[in-house]
Amino acid sequence: MKSEGGTHRAVTMRDVAQAAGVSVSTVSHVVNDTGARIGAEARERVRRAIEDLGYRPNAMAKNLVKGGSRFVGLVADAIASTPFAGQIIHGAQDEAWQHGYVLLVANTEGNEAAEASAISMMLEHKVRGVLYSTWYHRAVDLPAGLTEADTVLVNCFSADGSTPAVVPDERSGGREAARLLLEQGHRRIAFLNTRTPSPARDGRLEGYREALGAAGLPFDLDLVADVRPDQEGGYAAVDKVLAMRATGVFCHNDRVAMGLYDGLREHGLRVPDDLSVVGFDNQEVIAAHLRPTLSTVALPHYELGRRGVRVLLGLEAPEGAAPLAVNCPPVPRSSITRPSES
């Protein structure tokens, strides 16, 4: 709408009321669908004036009237800047949109003041609820502001189980990684685990043990080594792995596997002819571009985000206080072959 000076200004509720020949309160009742008894003719005049003038209701005001909004919040510590965990946002966004909600994302980079501000902003917008996510799977203390909203933890959990949570099933992932090697006939399988205490460390080791047991193989602690969870850790472990006389290795993550590749190459050994290797994470920038391409197990980031929204909207529910655990699917590629007969 143009002002007297010829510049555009926002159309107001008062403009609509004037054009429709009704009061501002009548326009407010129609816009906010309050259920007030407004005659059909007056209601139609208001709607026609809204369309003719191009009036856009104030979303915040409408939320205050109706007591809610079509927003779902997602607060993350560093998820948007990690190479693969942004899939959590993608999954949450797709599921929210499917049910008529828009995702509001705040990436706080672990800054507590920024986190508190983001949560306060989302509460002001009267979001339907908040997903609180971390870039790696761990226990968290729930920020104080989130006690005022429906909250679901994604890729993290509360130690007391008081808040619904959706997490990767690390144990099933460990089983799948070992199974990739077992299915190709490997019976002496090493595991390069992380030194860092975490659900991933414990769960993947337990899954590895379960897969060996299901195949009728004993668990041998001499085949397990704790290493730094990065490329240097895998590189430094080569001599240990060769001393184990393993035919296959399950690495805690794809970065460890990448370092192992480098060390084996320096020893004149080839993957998978001399040693089969499996990673974990399915970090595409690594796993799909190593030569040979790395067989691995995927962290289900997209599914974590998607199912977090489903739990928030009451479409799915964890059983009891335990988090909802999402399976980690295997991604077979070219780094595994059958062991030699020698």
Side-chain angles (χ1 to χ4, degrees):
M1 188 171 191
K2 285 189 177 182
S3 67
E4 290 180 2
T7 58
H8 287 272
R9 67 174 178 83
V11 177
T12 67
M13 201 174 284
R14 186 175 299 279
D15 295 324
V16 174
Q18 196 169 25
V22 298
S23 68
V24 171
S25 64
T26 297
V27 175
S28 177
H29 285 305
V30 173
V31 166
N32 293 304
D33 194 20
T34 62
R37 299 177 71 175
I38 308 293
E41 183 184 352
R43 191 180 294 272
E44 181 57 32
R45 289 204 310 272
V46 170
R47 287 175 177 160
R48 194 160 50 243
I50 287 172
E51 185 176 342
D52 291 345
L53 296 175
Y55 172 68
R56 298 186 66 178
N58 184 303
M60 278 295 292
K62 193 169 183 178
N63 292 346
L64 291 170
V65 171
K66 297 181 75 67
S69 75
R70 304 304 292 179
F71 293 129
V72 168
L74 188 151
V75 177
D77 59 357
I79 202 167
S81 57
T82 56
F84 51 86
Q87 285 295 310
I88 288 179
I89 295 174
H90 189 189
Q93 184 172 269
D94 284 354
E95 188 68 20
W97 187 254
Q98 184 175 335
H99 298 286
Y101 289 87
V102 173
L103 191 70
L104 297 179
V105 180
N107 183 45
T108 66
E109 297 295 338
N111 183 304
E112 289 187 9
E115 181 176 89
S117 178
I119 292 170
S120 177
M121 176 271 292
M122 289 178 180
L123 294 177
E124 287 173 8
H125 278 75
K126 293 189 172 291
V127 292
R128 169 62 181 79
V130 178
L131 305 182
Y132 182 80
S133 185
T134 55
W135 76 271
Y136 70 93
H137 182 189
R138 60 187 174 92
V140 297
D141 294 322
L142 195 68
L146 289 182
T147 59
E148 300 178 37
D150 291 341
T151 302
V152 175
L153 302 176
V154 177
N155 206 36
C156 54
F157 59 95
S158 57
D160 62 4
S162 60
T163 306
V166 181
V167 299
D169 189 339
E170 305 282 5
R171 190 163 67 174
S172 78
R175 284 198 302 269
E176 292 295 345
R179 192 176 295 149
L180 284 170
L181 292 160
L182 290 164
E183 288 176 348
Q184 287 297 315
H186 292 271
R187 292 298 178 265
R188 192 166 180 82
I189 300 170
F191 179 29
L192 298 182
N193 203 1
T194 178
R195 297 171 180 169
T196 308
S198 64
R201 182 182 193 273
D202 298 340
R204 293 174 198 181
L205 176 61
E206 186 61 30
Y208 163 80
R209 292 185 65 154
E210 288 178 359
L212 294 177
L217 299 174
F219 171 70
D220 184 351
L221 194 57
D222 290 337
L223 288 174
V224 178
D226 291 344
V227 302
R228 281 177 46 180
D230 55 24
Q231 188 172 359
E232 290 304 312
Y235 179 82
V238 172
D239 288 337
K240 286 182 182 178
V241 170
L242 296 179
M244 293 172 181
R245 297 180 292 106
T247 62
V249 182
F250 164 29
C251 297
H252 176 78
N253 62 32
D254 295 343
R255 290 172 294 153
V256 171
M258 180 166 59
L260 185 62
Y261 268 50
D262 293 340
L264 291 170
R265 191 177 301 113
E266 288 192 2
H267 281 71
L269 300 173
R270 295 181 301 172
V271 176
D273 298 344
D274 298 301
L275 191 70
S276 290
V277 178
V278 173
F280 204 108
D281 286 353
N282 192 33
Q283 195 167 339
E284 285 282 337
V285 70
I286 296 174
H289 297 286
L290 285 174
R291 292 294 179 267
T293 54
L294 179 65
S295 296
T296 186
V297 172
L299 281 171
H301 290 105
Y302 181 91
E303 278 297 299
L304 293 178
R306 190 181 74 81
R307 295 180 73 175
V309 169
R310 291 183 62 79
V311 171
L312 186 66
L313 299 180
L315 303 172
E316 197 168 352
E319 293 185 11
L324 177 66
V326 181
N327 286 337
C328 300
V331 185
R333 293 194 179 95
S334 305
S335 61
I336 304 174
T337 191
R338 298 192 67 80
S340 62
E341 298 297 325
S342 59

